[in-house]
Amino acid sequence: MKKRTFIQLSSTLLATPILSPLVSWIADDKLKNWAGNYQYSTDRLYPAKSLEQVQEFVKKTSKLKVLGSRHCFNGIADSKDNLLSLKAMDEVISLDPKARTVTVDASMKYGQLAPYLDKKGFALHNLASLPHISIAGACATATHGSGVKNGNLSTAVAAMEIITAAGEVRTLSRAKDGDTFRAAVVHLGALGVVTKVTLDIEPTFMMRQDVYENLPMAQLKDHFEAIVSGGYSVSLFTDWQKNRVNEVWIKRRIDKGIKLEAKPEYFGATLAKKNLHPIAELSAINCTEQMGVPGPWYERMPHFRMGFTPSSGKELQSEYFVPRKNAVEAILAVERLREHISPHLMISELRTIDADNLWMSPCYKQPSLTIHFTWKQDWASVKKVLPMIEKELAPFNPRPHWGKLFTMAPAQLQSRYEKLPAFKQLVKEYDPKGKFRNAFLDSTIYGS
């Protein structure tokens, strides 16, 4: 698809409220993911409305996977046998102001939880670009927001309830379960069915968002840490052309007694005079408010508003985590491929995430930079470019996002996770017969 055609199509659909879940789930009579690039291997989708129904289904089924909000671009949640939906289980179970935690059904979306928390005087530490994703799925794949001091979304998990392959209910917590908990949070769907999640919360806060245009790439070489530390959350959008970052999105907390202003320039970039979409040619109608207008945390941290479709869906996504100490070298390595990347790219986003201690997190023991690619939906072309990117990033031992597209050899990927052997032992304990195994896990985690 040509970029102009994509832009025209997206401009029409971006202003359209989200389709009903039923319509989007069974378009073309086939079960597909959010972007439409992946068709699931079975139409046997079983809905559960209670813990007891989940247990019953798990006990009587020999093979299954849980299907969440379908925002993954690969087969991590696929099954050729049976799919289980917890879509109807999306309530707040309890709020504990003293402990500063909230417990929710795993299928709840961040966009549902955030306004509830805010009304109660609380907030989450971070949110992803899209609020449309389920809490359990985001944590299972270490999905992230941005910020040099902010861990990914799974780092907010304080406890979780999981149904094992035997149908048993197990509760794990950060306070009591040590390594087992650290292994289980980013579980890739391999341990069982997560039915409840307890998240850390904090007092609510206000934020503002300012966007700058045309940051010279040379400034990243000389001032990377200062640039990405300029706000609570900072995102850099680039098409890798013209030796510049197209847009810099700076999200800052508004604390009492401290006046914030937006300077006319930011490391050579100029302050935008209107709301912008990450792809400048597209309407910003579905983007969160910019121009320094104060608003609640949950209306500024994501890039896109909950009430609108974030994209036409006609796209592919890839993302690689590299150590933040190698950020500039990694960015320049990708920039060298701009002539190969540009024909197939919509936009790239650069973000920072703090280190964590979760075994299967791409940020395990390393503060990270992520290099994200939103591609045109042309897998035949993209799969030729990804090996080039992975080769250029190889000196920095990149870890791909678990829910996005990559071509890295299983042995190479496995070598990046020092706790993988111990994680496999836990999987064997929770699922000795491979009830939750699928082609993705067989290839990526167990393949050679």
Side-chain angles (χ1 to χ4, degrees), residues 344-398:
H344 315 294
L345 184 73
M346 296 311 303
I347 202 68
S348 276
E349 182 178 9
L350 310 175
R351 286 188 283 180
T352 56
I353 307 97
D354 203 3
D356 60 55
N357 63 359
L358 305 175
W359 288 6
M360 299 305 292
S361 165
C363 297
Y364 180 70
K365 290 188 177 181
Q366 71 177 33
S368 299
L369 167 81
T370 62
I371 306 176
H372 184 277
F373 302 88
T374 299
W375 305 102
K376 300 170 188 176
Q377 200 175 82
D378 178 6
W379 176 233
S381 298
V382 171
K383 70 179 179 181
K384 295 178 182 177
V385 178
L386 292 183
M388 299 181 193
I389 295 172
E390 292 167 1
K391 182 179 179 180
E392 285 295 317
L393 293 178
F396 317 114
N397 295 319

Side-chain angles (χ1 to χ4, degrees), residues 79 107 163 166 173 183 185 206 303 350 394 423:
S79 171
S107 190
I163 310 303
S173 73
V185 175
M206 299 284 284
H303 299 330
L350 310 175
F423 176 74

Side-chain angles (χ1 to χ4, degrees), residues 132 318 367:
H132 308 72
S318 301

Side-chain angles (χ1 to χ4, degrees), residues 219-237:
Q219 292 284 358
L220 281 184
K221 301 174 188 177
D222 299 330
H223 306 289
F224 175 80
E225 284 296 329
I227 290 170
V228 297
S229 300
Y232 185 83
S233 171
V234 176
S235 291
L236 311 177
F237 293 96

Side-chain angles (χ1 to χ4, degrees), residues 317-336:
Q317 291 185 14
S318 301
E319 186 172 37
Y320 299 94
F321 296 69
V322 297
R324 203 167 87 212
K325 65 182 181 181
N326 302 126
V328 173
E329 297 168 277
I331 292 169
L332 296 179
V334 174
E335 189 188 27
R336 289 195 290 269

